[in-house]
Amino acid sequence: MPNIKSSTELRNNYNEISSFCRESREPVFITKNGHGDLAVMSMETYEILSGKLELYRLLDEGRAAVKAGKKRPLQEVMRNIKQEIADESL
């Protein structure tokens, strides 16, 4: 169930809301004049969410490349990754 607070509650109970976000790793939805306005979350949760979005973008890019016929044998890809790791360029 989403945690919903008013902008007044955010102003008056910032430390409590901040602790909730960090401990629960869940966002708090902030309303202004009875309408949704913001979503507040911890930096850790934001970084995890951003990482997931980047992963989804890369997966979508890969799917598009496969559809376009841009593919390579797995052995070649693994050889390139291992070489990049050895060269410390990855």
Side-chain angles (χ1 to χ4, degrees), residues 18-62:
S18 175
S19 293
F20 172 83
C21 288
R22 281 187 271 105
E23 292 167 8
S24 71
R25 296 184 178 173
E26 294 291 327
V28 173
F29 299 97
I30 306 298
T31 62
K32 184 176 181 180
N33 299 323
H35 299 283
D37 187 45
L38 300 170
V40 178
M41 64 184 77
S42 70
M43 292 297 294
E44 180 183 8
T45 301
Y46 176 78
E47 289 170 359
I48 290 168
L49 181 61
S50 294
K52 286 179 182 179
L53 289 174
E54 176 64 9
L55 175 60
Y56 296 152
R57 186 191 67 74
L58 291 170
L59 288 170
D60 190 50
E61 186 179 303

Side-chain angles (χ1 to χ4, degrees), residues 1 4 7 14-15 17 19 21 24-25 28 40 42 57 64 67-69 71-72 74 82 86 88:
M1 180 150 187
I4 302 170
S7 57
Y14 176 84
N15 289 335
I17 293 171
S19 293
C21 288
S24 71
R25 296 184 178 173
V28 173
V40 178
S42 70
R57 186 191 67 74
K67 280 186 178 180
K71 33 188 174 170
R72 299 183 297 166
L74 178 61
K82 287 176 183 177
E88 296 182 1

